[in-house]
Amino acid sequence: MALVEDSENIKSSAVYIGYLILKEIKKNGAEKVSIYKVSDTLKKNGISHSRQLIFGLLFLYSLGMVKFEEPYLWIE
């Protein structure tokens, strides 16, 4: 089973979205970042559906890389 099917756009994959989320957290330099800031960053990268944001967050959370509590998330 592949993370991204051949016909699926790589930029809509949970892995790529997770990368963008981690990149935004590190770029911010703060201990925590607002989910709204992450959402704005994803919109700038052409990712406008909340479903994709959720998949990216779930991917990172399942790997134990991030934790979140309304409305913030941080690298674990």
Side-chain angles (χ1 to χ4, degrees):
M1 180 178 167
L3 289 175
V4 179
E5 296 296 322
D6 292 336
S7 62
E8 184 181 0
N9 185 353
I10 189 75
K11 290 190 175 186
S12 65
S13 72
V15 176
Y16 180 72
I17 295 167
Y19 160 74
L20 292 175
I21 292 170
L22 289 176
K23 184 176 167 184
E24 178 60 29
I25 294 172
K26 288 195 177 217
K27 182 180 104 178
N28 194 6
E31 189 174 309
K32 295 181 179 182
V33 65
S34 168
I35 192 73
Y36 304 112
K37 177 83 171 154
V38 171
S39 178
D40 288 342
T41 300
L42 293 179
K43 284 180 186 175
K44 290 177 186 174
N45 285 286
I47 300 165
S48 58
H49 300 288
S50 61
R51 181 178 177 178
Q52 293 171 306
L53 171 63
I54 292 169
F55 285 152
L57 286 174
L58 287 174
F59 172 72
L60 293 174
Y61 185 78
S62 69
L63 294 175
M65 297 180 79
V66 297
K67 297 282 184 180
F68 47 89
E69 185 177 318
E70 294 180 29
Y72 298 103
L73 61 116
W74 58 92
I75 295 177
E76 188 60 31

